[in-house]
Protein backbone atom coordinates (compact mmCIF):
# COMPACT_ATOMS: atom_id res chain seq x y z
CA UNK A 1 0.00 0.00 0.00
CA UNK A 2 2.92 2.31 0.68
CA UNK A 3 4.12 2.14 -2.91
CA UNK A 4 0.66 3.06 -4.19
CA UNK A 5 0.59 6.12 -1.92
CA UNK A 6 4.11 7.10 -3.00
CA UNK A 7 3.13 6.84 -6.66
CA UNK A 8 -0.02 8.87 -6.04
CA UNK A 9 1.99 11.54 -4.25
CA UNK A 10 4.57 11.68 -7.07
CA UNK A 11 1.74 11.98 -9.60
CA UNK A 12 0.16 14.83 -7.67
CA UNK A 13 3.49 16.68 -7.49
CA UNK A 14 4.10 16.18 -11.22
CA UNK A 15 0.56 17.33 -12.02
CA UNK A 16 1.08 20.45 -9.91
CA UNK A 17 4.38 21.24 -11.66
CA UNK A 18 2.73 20.78 -15.06
CA UNK A 19 -0.01 23.22 -14.10
CA UNK A 20 2.60 25.76 -12.97
CA UNK A 21 4.54 25.32 -16.21
CA UNK A 22 1.39 25.74 -18.29
CA UNK A 23 0.66 28.96 -16.40
CA UNK A 24 4.15 30.32 -17.12
CA UNK A 25 3.89 29.34 -20.79
CA UNK A 26 0.55 31.12 -21.11
CA UNK A 27 2.03 34.28 -19.57
CA UNK A 28 5.06 34.19 -21.91
CA UNK A 29 3.14 33.42 -25.09
CA UNK A 30 3.55 36.21 -27.65
CA UNK A 31 5.99 38.27 -25.56
CA UNK A 32 9.45 39.50 -26.52
CA UNK A 33 10.92 37.27 -23.82
CA UNK A 34 9.23 34.24 -25.35
CA UNK A 35 10.55 35.12 -28.80
CA UNK A 36 14.05 35.44 -27.35
CA UNK A 37 13.81 32.09 -25.56
CA UNK A 38 12.61 30.37 -28.73
CA UNK A 39 15.48 31.90 -30.72
CA UNK A 40 18.03 30.71 -28.14
CA UNK A 41 16.46 27.25 -28.10
CA UNK A 42 16.59 27.05 -31.91
CA UNK A 43 20.26 28.05 -31.90
CA UNK A 44 21.11 25.42 -29.27
CA UNK A 45 19.19 22.82 -31.29
CA UNK A 46 21.23 23.66 -34.40
CA UNK A 47 24.47 23.36 -32.40
CA UNK A 48 23.39 19.99 -31.04
CA UNK A 49 22.53 18.73 -34.52
CA UNK A 50 25.89 19.94 -35.78
CA UNK A 51 27.69 18.17 -32.94
CA UNK A 52 25.77 14.98 -33.71
CA UNK A 53 26.79 15.25 -37.36
CA UNK A 54 30.46 15.61 -36.36
CA UNK A 55 30.18 12.66 -34.01
CA UNK A 56 28.55 10.58 -36.74
CA UNK A 57 31.44 11.36 -39.12
CA UNK A 58 34.00 10.44 -36.45
CA UNK A 59 32.22 7.15 -35.72
CA UNK A 60 32.06 6.34 -39.42
CA UNK A 61 35.78 7.03 -39.73
CA UNK A 62 36.49 4.75 -36.78
CA UNK A 63 34.36 2.02 -38.32
CA UNK A 64 36.14 2.41 -41.65
CA UNK A 65 39.55 2.25 -39.96
CA UNK A 66 38.55 -0.97 -38.17
CA UNK A 67 37.57 -2.64 -41.45
Amino acid sequence: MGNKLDILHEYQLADQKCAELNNVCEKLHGTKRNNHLVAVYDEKLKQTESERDHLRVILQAIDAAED
Side-chain angles (χ1 to χ4, degrees), residues 4-54:
K4 185 177 180 180
L5 292 176
D6 290 340
I7 292 170
L8 178 60
H9 180 71
E10 291 291 324
Y11 173 81
Q12 290 169 337
L13 289 176
D15 192 47
Q16 182 182 13
K17 288 182 181 187
C18 285
E20 291 172 9
L21 182 58
N22 283 335
N23 186 30
V24 170
C25 289
E26 286 177 14
K27 288 179 181 178
L28 285 175
H29 184 72
T31 64
K32 280 184 166 183
R33 181 69 178 153
N34 180 55
N35 295 338
H36 172 73
L37 292 172
V38 169
V40 169
Y41 173 80
D42 287 343
E43 184 61 33
K44 292 290 183 183
L45 183 61
K46 288 177 189 175
Q47 288 175 357
T48 301
E49 290 171 352
S50 177
E51 289 169 359
R52 285 184 189 147
D53 290 340
H54 291 315

mmCIF file of all heavy atoms in Angstrom, residues 4-54:
data_model
loop_
_atom_site.group_PDB
_atom_site.id
_atom_site.type_symbol
_atom_site.label_atom_id
_atom_site.label_comp_id
_atom_site.label_asym_id
_atom_site.label_seq_id
_atom_site.Cartn_x
_atom_site.Cartn_y
_atom_site.Cartn_z
ATOM 1 N N LYS A 4 1.785 2.428 -3.506
ATOM 2 C CA LYS A 4 0.660 3.064 -4.185
ATOM 3 C C LYS A 4 0.525 4.522 -3.731
ATOM 4 O O LYS A 4 0.314 5.419 -4.543
ATOM 5 C CB LYS A 4 -0.628 2.290 -3.916
ATOM 6 C CG LYS A 4 -1.811 2.816 -4.672
ATOM 7 C CD LYS A 4 -3.043 1.943 -4.417
ATOM 8 C CE LYS A 4 -4.233 2.475 -5.173
ATOM 9 N NZ LYS A 4 -5.424 1.657 -4.933
ATOM 10 N N LEU A 5 0.681 4.759 -2.448
ATOM 11 C CA LEU A 5 0.586 6.123 -1.921
ATOM 12 C C LEU A 5 1.759 6.975 -2.395
ATOM 13 O O LEU A 5 1.583 8.157 -2.704
ATOM 14 C CB LEU A 5 0.514 6.102 -0.400
ATOM 15 C CG LEU A 5 -0.762 5.513 0.191
ATOM 16 C CD1 LEU A 5 -0.665 5.468 1.712
ATOM 17 C CD2 LEU A 5 -1.984 6.291 -0.248
ATOM 18 N N ASP A 6 2.949 6.376 -2.482
ATOM 19 C CA ASP A 6 4.113 7.101 -2.996
ATOM 20 C C ASP A 6 3.900 7.501 -4.452
ATOM 21 O O ASP A 6 4.202 8.627 -4.856
ATOM 22 C CB ASP A 6 5.378 6.251 -2.879
ATOM 23 C CG ASP A 6 5.823 6.061 -1.435
ATOM 24 O OD1 ASP A 6 5.406 6.859 -0.567
ATOM 25 O OD2 ASP A 6 6.596 5.113 -1.186
ATOM 26 N N ILE A 7 3.375 6.565 -5.241
ATOM 27 C CA ILE A 7 3.129 6.842 -6.656
ATOM 28 C C ILE A 7 2.069 7.927 -6.802
ATOM 29 O O ILE A 7 2.213 8.841 -7.611
ATOM 30 C CB ILE A 7 2.703 5.549 -7.390
ATOM 31 C CG1 ILE A 7 3.886 4.585 -7.456
ATOM 32 C CG2 ILE A 7 2.168 5.859 -8.781
ATOM 33 C CD1 ILE A 7 3.533 3.196 -7.927
ATOM 34 N N LEU A 8 1.028 7.850 -6.002
ATOM 35 C CA LEU A 8 -0.020 8.869 -6.042
ATOM 36 C C LEU A 8 0.546 10.233 -5.682
ATOM 37 O O LEU A 8 0.254 11.232 -6.341
ATOM 38 C CB LEU A 8 -1.166 8.498 -5.092
ATOM 39 C CG LEU A 8 -2.312 9.493 -4.998
ATOM 40 C CD1 LEU A 8 -2.972 9.682 -6.366
ATOM 41 C CD2 LEU A 8 -3.330 9.041 -3.970
ATOM 42 N N HIS A 9 1.387 10.281 -4.662
ATOM 43 C CA HIS A 9 1.989 11.543 -4.250
ATOM 44 C C HIS A 9 2.894 12.109 -5.347
ATOM 45 O O HIS A 9 2.843 13.302 -5.656
ATOM 46 C CB HIS A 9 2.790 11.351 -2.953
ATOM 47 C CG HIS A 9 3.438 12.602 -2.469
ATOM 48 N ND1 HIS A 9 2.730 13.652 -1.944
ATOM 49 C CD2 HIS A 9 4.742 12.982 -2.456
ATOM 50 C CE1 HIS A 9 3.568 14.628 -1.619
ATOM 51 N NE2 HIS A 9 4.795 14.235 -1.922
ATOM 52 N N GLU A 10 3.693 11.245 -5.969
ATOM 53 C CA GLU A 10 4.568 11.678 -7.070
ATOM 54 C C GLU A 10 3.732 12.207 -8.229
ATOM 55 O O GLU A 10 4.080 13.210 -8.854
ATOM 56 C CB GLU A 10 5.451 10.520 -7.544
ATOM 57 C CG GLU A 10 6.505 10.110 -6.545
ATOM 58 C CD GLU A 10 7.587 11.147 -6.361
ATOM 59 O OE1 GLU A 10 7.952 11.819 -7.348
ATOM 60 O OE2 GLU A 10 8.080 11.288 -5.229
ATOM 61 N N TYR A 11 2.626 11.541 -8.527
ATOM 62 C CA TYR A 11 1.737 11.981 -9.603
ATOM 63 C C TYR A 11 1.163 13.353 -9.285
ATOM 64 O O TYR A 11 1.119 14.234 -10.146
ATOM 65 C CB TYR A 11 0.609 10.972 -9.814
ATOM 66 C CG TYR A 11 -0.427 11.455 -10.791
ATOM 67 C CD1 TYR A 11 -0.207 11.353 -12.164
ATOM 68 C CD2 TYR A 11 -1.610 12.038 -10.352
ATOM 69 C CE1 TYR A 11 -1.148 11.814 -13.068
ATOM 70 C CE2 TYR A 11 -2.548 12.503 -11.243
ATOM 71 C CZ TYR A 11 -2.312 12.394 -12.600
ATOM 72 O OH TYR A 11 -3.232 12.865 -13.482
ATOM 73 N N GLN A 12 0.734 13.546 -8.062
ATOM 74 C CA GLN A 12 0.160 14.832 -7.672
ATOM 75 C C GLN A 12 1.191 15.952 -7.783
ATOM 76 O O GLN A 12 0.876 17.056 -8.241
ATOM 77 C CB GLN A 12 -0.417 14.751 -6.258
ATOM 78 C CG GLN A 12 -1.650 13.893 -6.169
ATOM 79 C CD GLN A 12 -2.075 13.601 -4.741
ATOM 80 O OE1 GLN A 12 -1.275 13.669 -3.808
ATOM 81 N NE2 GLN A 12 -3.339 13.237 -4.575
ATOM 82 N N LEU A 13 2.423 15.687 -7.370
ATOM 83 C CA LEU A 13 3.487 16.683 -7.486
ATOM 84 C C LEU A 13 3.769 17.008 -8.955
ATOM 85 O O LEU A 13 3.923 18.173 -9.332
ATOM 86 C CB LEU A 13 4.762 16.208 -6.796
ATOM 87 C CG LEU A 13 4.742 16.165 -5.277
ATOM 88 C CD1 LEU A 13 6.053 15.567 -4.753
ATOM 89 C CD2 LEU A 13 4.516 17.547 -4.697
ATOM 90 N N ALA A 14 3.845 15.971 -9.789
ATOM 91 C CA ALA A 14 4.098 16.176 -11.219
ATOM 92 C C ALA A 14 2.954 16.951 -11.857
ATOM 93 O O ALA A 14 3.178 17.854 -12.672
ATOM 94 C CB ALA A 14 4.292 14.838 -11.919
ATOM 95 N N ASP A 15 1.731 16.631 -11.484
ATOM 96 C CA ASP A 15 0.562 17.334 -12.018
ATOM 97 C C ASP A 15 0.586 18.804 -11.622
ATOM 98 O O ASP A 15 0.292 19.688 -12.432
ATOM 99 C CB ASP A 15 -0.709 16.656 -11.514
ATOM 100 C CG ASP A 15 -1.949 17.135 -12.232
ATOM 101 O OD1 ASP A 15 -1.924 17.204 -13.478
ATOM 102 O OD2 ASP A 15 -2.955 17.432 -11.544
ATOM 103 N N GLN A 16 0.986 19.075 -10.400
ATOM 104 C CA GLN A 16 1.078 20.451 -9.914
ATOM 105 C C GLN A 16 2.156 21.218 -10.683
ATOM 106 O O GLN A 16 1.948 22.358 -11.088
ATOM 107 C CB GLN A 16 1.379 20.469 -8.417
ATOM 108 C CG GLN A 16 1.454 21.844 -7.817
ATOM 109 C CD GLN A 16 1.807 21.808 -6.328
ATOM 110 O OE1 GLN A 16 2.217 20.793 -5.798
ATOM 111 N NE2 GLN A 16 1.643 22.938 -5.668
ATOM 112 N N LYS A 17 3.297 20.595 -10.916
ATOM 113 C CA LYS A 17 4.375 21.239 -11.660
ATOM 114 C C LYS A 17 3.956 21.507 -13.099
ATOM 115 O O LYS A 17 4.295 22.551 -13.660
ATOM 116 C CB LYS A 17 5.647 20.399 -11.609
ATOM 117 C CG LYS A 17 6.309 20.422 -10.252
ATOM 118 C CD LYS A 17 7.582 19.625 -10.225
ATOM 119 C CE LYS A 17 8.195 19.668 -8.828
ATOM 120 N NZ LYS A 17 9.504 19.053 -8.793
ATOM 121 N N CYS A 18 3.221 20.579 -13.695
ATOM 122 C CA CYS A 18 2.726 20.783 -15.063
ATOM 123 C C CYS A 18 1.780 21.974 -15.122
ATOM 124 O O CYS A 18 1.833 22.775 -16.064
ATOM 125 C CB CYS A 18 2.018 19.534 -15.567
ATOM 126 S SG CYS A 18 3.124 18.199 -16.014
ATOM 127 N N ALA A 19 0.924 22.093 -14.136
ATOM 128 C CA ALA A 19 -0.007 23.218 -14.098
ATOM 129 C C ALA A 19 0.750 24.537 -13.963
ATOM 130 O O ALA A 19 0.418 25.531 -14.633
ATOM 131 C CB ALA A 19 -0.986 23.053 -12.932
ATOM 132 N N GLU A 20 1.778 24.558 -13.135
ATOM 133 C CA GLU A 20 2.597 25.763 -12.973
ATOM 134 C C GLU A 20 3.313 26.106 -14.277
ATOM 135 O O GLU A 20 3.370 27.274 -14.685
ATOM 136 C CB GLU A 20 3.613 25.575 -11.849
ATOM 137 C CG GLU A 20 3.001 25.506 -10.472
ATOM 138 C CD GLU A 20 4.009 25.115 -9.399
ATOM 139 O OE1 GLU A 20 5.225 25.051 -9.689
ATOM 140 O OE2 GLU A 20 3.575 24.873 -8.261
ATOM 141 N N LEU A 21 3.852 25.100 -14.951
ATOM 142 C CA LEU A 21 4.542 25.315 -16.211
ATOM 143 C C LEU A 21 3.581 25.831 -17.277
ATOM 144 O O LEU A 21 3.918 26.754 -18.033
ATOM 145 C CB LEU A 21 5.215 24.024 -16.677
ATOM 146 C CG LEU A 21 6.013 24.097 -17.967
ATOM 147 C CD1 LEU A 21 7.123 25.150 -17.866
ATOM 148 C CD2 LEU A 21 6.602 22.746 -18.309
ATOM 149 N N ASN A 22 2.392 25.261 -17.342
ATOM 150 C CA ASN A 22 1.387 25.742 -18.294
ATOM 151 C C ASN A 22 1.045 27.201 -18.030
ATOM 152 O O ASN A 22 0.890 27.994 -18.967
ATOM 153 C CB ASN A 22 0.119 24.896 -18.228
ATOM 154 C CG ASN A 22 0.276 23.573 -18.917
ATOM 155 O OD1 ASN A 22 1.095 23.419 -19.817
ATOM 156 N ND2 ASN A 22 -0.514 22.598 -18.507
ATOM 157 N N ASN A 23 0.959 27.580 -16.766
ATOM 158 C CA ASN A 23 0.662 28.961 -16.400
ATOM 159 C C ASN A 23 1.768 29.898 -16.879
ATOM 160 O O ASN A 23 1.498 30.951 -17.454
ATOM 161 C CB ASN A 23 0.472 29.068 -14.885
ATOM 162 C CG ASN A 23 0.021 30.438 -14.459
ATOM 163 O OD1 ASN A 23 -0.657 31.145 -15.191
ATOM 164 N ND2 ASN A 23 0.397 30.828 -13.247
ATOM 165 N N VAL A 24 3.015 29.502 -16.676
ATOM 166 C CA VAL A 24 4.147 30.319 -17.119
ATOM 167 C C VAL A 24 4.150 30.428 -18.637
ATOM 168 O O VAL A 24 4.346 31.521 -19.194
ATOM 169 C CB VAL A 24 5.486 29.725 -16.604
ATOM 170 C CG1 VAL A 24 6.675 30.406 -17.259
ATOM 171 C CG2 VAL A 24 5.569 29.854 -15.091
ATOM 172 N N CYS A 25 3.905 29.327 -19.324
ATOM 173 C CA CYS A 25 3.887 29.338 -20.789
ATOM 174 C C CYS A 25 2.798 30.263 -21.322
ATOM 175 O O CYS A 25 3.015 30.994 -22.295
ATOM 176 C CB CYS A 25 3.690 27.931 -21.336
ATOM 177 S SG CYS A 25 5.139 26.877 -21.113
ATOM 178 N N GLU A 26 1.638 30.239 -20.689
ATOM 179 C CA GLU A 26 0.550 31.121 -21.105
ATOM 180 C C GLU A 26 0.927 32.586 -20.920
ATOM 181 O O GLU A 26 0.610 33.426 -21.755
ATOM 182 C CB GLU A 26 -0.722 30.804 -20.316
ATOM 183 C CG GLU A 26 -1.393 29.512 -20.746
ATOM 184 C CD GLU A 26 -2.609 29.176 -19.899
ATOM 185 O OE1 GLU A 26 -3.103 30.054 -19.148
ATOM 186 O OE2 GLU A 26 -3.071 28.032 -19.979
ATOM 187 N N LYS A 27 1.619 32.897 -19.829
ATOM 188 C CA LYS A 27 2.032 34.279 -19.573
ATOM 189 C C LYS A 27 3.089 34.742 -20.573
ATOM 190 O O LYS A 27 3.119 35.904 -20.964
ATOM 191 C CB LYS A 27 2.563 34.421 -18.152
ATOM 192 C CG LYS A 27 1.495 34.344 -17.097
ATOM 193 C CD LYS A 27 2.097 34.467 -15.703
ATOM 194 C CE LYS A 27 1.029 34.360 -14.640
ATOM 195 N NZ LYS A 27 1.590 34.430 -13.285
ATOM 196 N N LEU A 28 3.977 33.832 -20.993
ATOM 197 C CA LEU A 28 5.059 34.193 -21.907
ATOM 198 C C LEU A 28 4.623 34.237 -23.367
ATOM 199 O O LEU A 28 5.276 34.887 -24.184
ATOM 200 C CB LEU A 28 6.221 33.210 -21.771
ATOM 201 C CG LEU A 28 7.087 33.335 -20.541
ATOM 202 C CD1 LEU A 28 8.114 32.214 -20.516
ATOM 203 C CD2 LEU A 28 7.785 34.675 -20.496
ATOM 204 N N HIS A 29 3.561 33.546 -23.699
ATOM 205 C CA HIS A 29 3.140 33.416 -25.094
ATOM 206 C C HIS A 29 2.971 34.790 -25.758
ATOM 207 O O HIS A 29 2.274 35.652 -25.266
ATOM 208 C CB HIS A 29 1.824 32.639 -25.186
ATOM 209 C CG HIS A 29 1.388 32.395 -26.587
ATOM 210 N ND1 HIS A 29 2.032 31.502 -27.398
ATOM 211 C CD2 HIS A 29 0.409 32.952 -27.321
ATOM 212 C CE1 HIS A 29 1.452 31.499 -28.584
ATOM 213 N NE2 HIS A 29 0.463 32.366 -28.566
ATOM 214 N N GLY A 30 3.674 34.975 -26.873
ATOM 215 C CA GLY A 30 3.549 36.212 -27.646
ATOM 216 C C GLY A 30 4.351 37.390 -27.109
ATOM 217 O O GLY A 30 4.224 38.496 -27.624
ATOM 218 N N THR A 31 5.200 37.173 -26.117
ATOM 219 C CA THR A 31 5.988 38.274 -25.565
ATOM 220 C C THR A 31 7.377 38.282 -26.192
ATOM 221 O O THR A 31 7.804 37.319 -26.816
ATOM 222 C CB THR A 31 6.149 38.127 -24.034
ATOM 223 O OG1 THR A 31 6.889 36.931 -23.758
ATOM 224 C CG2 THR A 31 4.802 38.064 -23.333
ATOM 225 N N LYS A 32 8.078 39.400 -26.029
ATOM 226 C CA LYS A 32 9.453 39.501 -26.518
ATOM 227 C C LYS A 32 10.340 38.451 -25.845
ATOM 228 O O LYS A 32 11.210 37.855 -26.473
ATOM 229 C CB LYS A 32 10.033 40.887 -26.250
ATOM 230 C CG LYS A 32 9.628 41.942 -27.208
ATOM 231 C CD LYS A 32 10.356 43.234 -26.871
ATOM 232 C CE LYS A 32 10.255 44.224 -27.995
ATOM 233 N NZ LYS A 32 11.020 45.442 -27.696
ATOM 234 N N ARG A 33 10.120 38.237 -24.572
ATOM 235 C CA ARG A 33 10.917 37.271 -23.819
ATOM 236 C C ARG A 33 10.736 35.873 -24.411
ATOM 237 O O ARG A 33 11.696 35.121 -24.568
ATOM 238 C CB ARG A 33 10.503 37.282 -22.340
ATOM 239 C CG ARG A 33 11.288 36.336 -21.480
ATOM 240 C CD ARG A 33 12.714 36.797 -21.339
ATOM 241 N NE ARG A 33 13.436 35.891 -20.476
ATOM 242 C CZ ARG A 33 14.723 35.700 -20.534
ATOM 243 N NH1 ARG A 33 15.449 36.383 -21.388
ATOM 244 N NH2 ARG A 33 15.317 34.868 -19.727
ATOM 245 N N ASN A 34 9.505 35.544 -24.750
ATOM 246 C CA ASN A 34 9.232 34.242 -25.349
ATOM 247 C C ASN A 34 9.956 34.118 -26.688
ATOM 248 O O ASN A 34 10.572 33.096 -26.971
ATOM 249 C CB ASN A 34 7.733 34.049 -25.541
ATOM 250 C CG ASN A 34 7.407 32.710 -26.162
ATOM 251 O OD1 ASN A 34 7.812 31.681 -25.652
ATOM 252 N ND2 ASN A 34 6.705 32.734 -27.276
ATOM 253 N N ASN A 35 9.888 35.141 -27.500
ATOM 254 C CA ASN A 35 10.553 35.117 -28.798
ATOM 255 C C ASN A 35 12.056 34.927 -28.632
ATOM 256 O O ASN A 35 12.689 34.188 -29.386
ATOM 257 C CB ASN A 35 10.259 36.386 -29.584
ATOM 258 C CG ASN A 35 8.794 36.500 -29.955
ATOM 259 O OD1 ASN A 35 8.074 35.516 -29.993
ATOM 260 N ND2 ASN A 35 8.336 37.711 -30.205
ATOM 261 N N HIS A 36 12.625 35.580 -27.632
ATOM 262 C CA HIS A 36 14.054 35.437 -27.354
ATOM 263 C C HIS A 36 14.382 34.004 -26.926
ATOM 264 O O HIS A 36 15.356 33.411 -27.402
ATOM 265 C CB HIS A 36 14.489 36.426 -26.271
ATOM 266 C CG HIS A 36 15.887 36.213 -25.788
ATOM 267 N ND1 HIS A 36 16.985 36.527 -26.538
ATOM 268 C CD2 HIS A 36 16.353 35.693 -24.620
ATOM 269 C CE1 HIS A 36 18.080 36.206 -25.870
ATOM 270 N NE2 HIS A 36 17.720 35.702 -24.698
ATOM 271 N N LEU A 37 13.577 33.451 -26.041
ATOM 272 C CA LEU A 37 13.809 32.093 -25.563
ATOM 273 C C LEU A 37 13.711 31.080 -26.707
ATOM 274 O O LEU A 37 14.515 30.153 -26.790
ATOM 275 C CB LEU A 37 12.820 31.737 -24.457
ATOM 276 C CG LEU A 37 12.993 32.489 -23.134
ATOM 277 C CD1 LEU A 37 11.837 32.177 -22.190
ATOM 278 C CD2 LEU A 37 14.318 32.149 -22.481
ATOM 279 N N VAL A 38 12.753 31.272 -27.585
ATOM 280 C CA VAL A 38 12.605 30.367 -28.730
ATOM 281 C C VAL A 38 13.817 30.483 -29.648
ATOM 282 O O VAL A 38 14.336 29.472 -30.137
ATOM 283 C CB VAL A 38 11.290 30.652 -29.490
ATOM 284 C CG1 VAL A 38 11.248 29.911 -30.818
ATOM 285 C CG2 VAL A 38 10.089 30.271 -28.637
ATOM 286 N N ALA A 39 14.304 31.701 -29.874
ATOM 287 C CA ALA A 39 15.478 31.899 -30.724
ATOM 288 C C ALA A 39 16.710 31.213 -30.118
ATOM 289 O O ALA A 39 17.484 30.564 -30.835
ATOM 290 C CB ALA A 39 15.743 33.386 -30.924
ATOM 291 N N VAL A 40 16.901 31.349 -28.821
ATOM 292 C CA VAL A 40 18.034 30.714 -28.144
ATOM 293 C C VAL A 40 17.898 29.197 -28.222
ATOM 294 O O VAL A 40 18.871 28.488 -28.496
ATOM 295 C CB VAL A 40 18.140 31.183 -26.674
ATOM 296 C CG1 VAL A 40 19.127 30.348 -25.891
ATOM 297 C CG2 VAL A 40 18.510 32.650 -26.621
ATOM 298 N N TYR A 41 16.701 28.691 -28.013
ATOM 299 C CA TYR A 41 16.462 27.250 -28.101
ATOM 300 C C TYR A 41 16.786 26.739 -29.506
ATOM 301 O O TYR A 41 17.447 25.711 -29.659
ATOM 302 C CB TYR A 41 15.009 26.932 -27.755
ATOM 303 C CG TYR A 41 14.658 25.486 -27.978
ATOM 304 C CD1 TYR A 41 14.996 24.515 -27.037
ATOM 305 C CD2 TYR A 41 13.998 25.079 -29.134
ATOM 306 C CE1 TYR A 41 14.695 23.184 -27.241
ATOM 307 C CE2 TYR A 41 13.691 23.744 -29.343
ATOM 308 C CZ TYR A 41 14.026 22.811 -28.394
ATOM 309 O OH TYR A 41 13.726 21.496 -28.609
ATOM 310 N N ASP A 42 16.320 27.460 -30.534
ATOM 311 C CA ASP A 42 16.594 27.053 -31.912
ATOM 312 C C ASP A 42 18.089 27.021 -32.204
ATOM 313 O O ASP A 42 18.586 26.114 -32.872
ATOM 314 C CB ASP A 42 15.885 27.984 -32.902
ATOM 315 C CG ASP A 42 14.383 27.764 -32.936
ATOM 316 O OD1 ASP A 42 13.922 26.708 -32.460
ATOM 317 O OD2 ASP A 42 13.671 28.664 -33.440
ATOM 318 N N GLU A 43 18.819 28.000 -31.697
ATOM 319 C CA GLU A 43 20.264 28.046 -31.903
ATOM 320 C C GLU A 43 20.944 26.857 -31.217
ATOM 321 O O GLU A 43 21.823 26.218 -31.792
ATOM 322 C CB GLU A 43 20.840 29.365 -31.380
ATOM 323 C CG GLU A 43 22.318 29.524 -31.639
ATOM 324 C CD GLU A 43 22.695 29.521 -33.117
ATOM 325 O OE1 GLU A 43 21.897 30.001 -33.937
ATOM 326 O OE2 GLU A 43 23.781 29.019 -33.452
ATOM 327 N N LYS A 44 20.537 26.558 -29.987
ATOM 328 C CA LYS A 44 21.106 25.419 -29.272
ATOM 329 C C LYS A 44 20.785 24.112 -29.995
ATOM 330 O O LYS A 44 21.620 23.210 -30.070
ATOM 331 C CB LYS A 44 20.582 25.350 -27.836
ATOM 332 C CG LYS A 44 21.043 26.469 -26.954
ATOM 333 C CD LYS A 44 22.507 26.342 -26.644
ATOM 334 C CE LYS A 44 22.943 27.421 -25.697
ATOM 335 N NZ LYS A 44 24.368 27.374 -25.427
ATOM 336 N N LEU A 45 19.586 24.016 -30.552
ATOM 337 C CA LEU A 45 19.193 22.824 -31.288
ATOM 338 C C LEU A 45 20.074 22.640 -32.524
ATOM 339 O O LEU A 45 20.531 21.531 -32.813
ATOM 340 C CB LEU A 45 17.722 22.907 -31.691
ATOM 341 C CG LEU A 45 17.134 21.704 -32.399
ATOM 342 C CD1 LEU A 45 17.217 20.463 -31.516
ATOM 343 C CD2 LEU A 45 15.704 21.982 -32.807
ATOM 344 N N LYS A 46 20.350 23.723 -33.227
ATOM 345 C CA LYS A 46 21.226 23.661 -34.396
ATOM 346 C C LYS A 46 22.624 23.221 -33.995
ATOM 347 O O LYS A 46 23.254 22.423 -34.685
ATOM 348 C CB LYS A 46 21.295 25.021 -35.095
ATOM 349 C CG LYS A 46 20.036 25.403 -35.829
ATOM 350 C CD LYS A 46 20.166 26.773 -36.432
ATOM 351 C CE LYS A 46 18.853 27.268 -36.995
ATOM 352 N NZ LYS A 46 18.933 28.651 -37.472
ATOM 353 N N GLN A 47 23.135 23.741 -32.882
ATOM 354 C CA GLN A 47 24.467 23.361 -32.404
ATOM 355 C C GLN A 47 24.504 21.873 -32.060
ATOM 356 O O GLN A 47 25.462 21.177 -32.386
ATOM 357 C CB GLN A 47 24.848 24.181 -31.169
ATOM 358 C CG GLN A 47 25.169 25.615 -31.456
ATOM 359 C CD GLN A 47 25.421 26.408 -30.186
ATOM 360 O OE1 GLN A 47 25.308 25.909 -29.081
ATOM 361 N NE2 GLN A 47 25.764 27.681 -30.361
ATOM 362 N N THR A 48 23.453 21.397 -31.416
ATOM 363 C CA THR A 48 23.388 19.990 -31.040
ATOM 364 C C THR A 48 23.365 19.108 -32.280
ATOM 365 O O THR A 48 24.060 18.095 -32.344
ATOM 366 C CB THR A 48 22.135 19.721 -30.180
ATOM 367 O OG1 THR A 48 22.199 20.543 -29.014
ATOM 368 C CG2 THR A 48 22.046 18.267 -29.760
ATOM 369 N N GLU A 49 22.587 19.504 -33.281
ATOM 370 C CA GLU A 49 22.525 18.733 -34.524
ATOM 371 C C GLU A 49 23.886 18.722 -35.208
ATOM 372 O O GLU A 49 24.316 17.698 -35.730
ATOM 373 C CB GLU A 49 21.459 19.300 -35.455
ATOM 374 C CG GLU A 49 20.047 19.045 -34.950
ATOM 375 C CD GLU A 49 18.994 19.788 -35.746
ATOM 376 O OE1 GLU A 49 19.342 20.622 -36.601
ATOM 377 O OE2 GLU A 49 17.809 19.528 -35.511
ATOM 378 N N SER A 50 24.572 19.852 -35.183
ATOM 379 C CA SER A 50 25.893 19.941 -35.784
ATOM 380 C C SER A 50 26.881 19.030 -35.053
ATOM 381 O O SER A 50 27.680 18.335 -35.674
ATOM 382 C CB SER A 50 26.391 21.386 -35.753
ATOM 383 O OG SER A 50 27.694 21.479 -36.256
ATOM 384 N N GLU A 51 26.812 19.027 -33.731
ATOM 385 C CA GLU A 51 27.690 18.168 -32.936
ATOM 386 C C GLU A 51 27.396 16.697 -33.218
ATOM 387 O O GLU A 51 28.311 15.881 -33.305
ATOM 388 C CB GLU A 51 27.516 18.478 -31.450
ATOM 389 C CG GLU A 51 28.091 19.829 -31.056
ATOM 390 C CD GLU A 51 27.708 20.258 -29.657
ATOM 391 O OE1 GLU A 51 26.973 19.510 -28.972
ATOM 392 O OE2 GLU A 51 28.127 21.340 -29.248
ATOM 393 N N ARG A 52 26.124 16.357 -33.384
ATOM 394 C CA ARG A 52 25.767 14.979 -33.712
ATOM 395 C C ARG A 52 26.319 14.589 -35.076
ATOM 396 O O ARG A 52 26.782 13.469 -35.269
ATOM 397 C CB ARG A 52 24.248 14.806 -33.713
ATOM 398 C CG ARG A 52 23.651 14.757 -32.347
ATOM 399 C CD ARG A 52 22.169 14.491 -32.415
ATOM 400 N NE ARG A 52 21.562 14.654 -31.114
ATOM 401 C CZ ARG A 52 20.343 15.089 -30.916
ATOM 402 N NH1 ARG A 52 19.580 15.400 -31.938
ATOM 403 N NH2 ARG A 52 19.867 15.208 -29.700
ATOM 404 N N ASP A 53 26.250 15.526 -36.032
ATOM 405 C CA ASP A 53 26.790 15.251 -37.361
ATOM 406 C C ASP A 53 28.293 14.986 -37.287
ATOM 407 O O ASP A 53 28.799 14.057 -37.924
ATOM 408 C CB ASP A 53 26.506 16.405 -38.324
ATOM 409 C CG ASP A 53 25.040 16.511 -38.687
ATOM 410 O OD1 ASP A 53 24.307 15.513 -38.519
ATOM 411 O OD2 ASP A 53 24.620 17.587 -39.149
ATOM 412 N N HIS A 54 29.011 15.806 -36.517
ATOM 413 C CA HIS A 54 30.460 15.614 -36.356
ATOM 414 C C HIS A 54 30.753 14.269 -35.702
ATOM 415 O O HIS A 54 31.664 13.556 -36.127
ATOM 416 C CB HIS A 54 31.082 16.739 -35.528
ATOM 417 C CG HIS A 54 31.102 18.066 -36.207
ATOM 418 N ND1 HIS A 54 31.472 18.248 -37.510
ATOM 419 C CD2 HIS A 54 30.799 19.304 -35.745
ATOM 420 C CE1 HIS A 54 31.397 19.519 -37.830
ATOM 421 N NE2 HIS A 54 30.972 20.187 -36.778
#
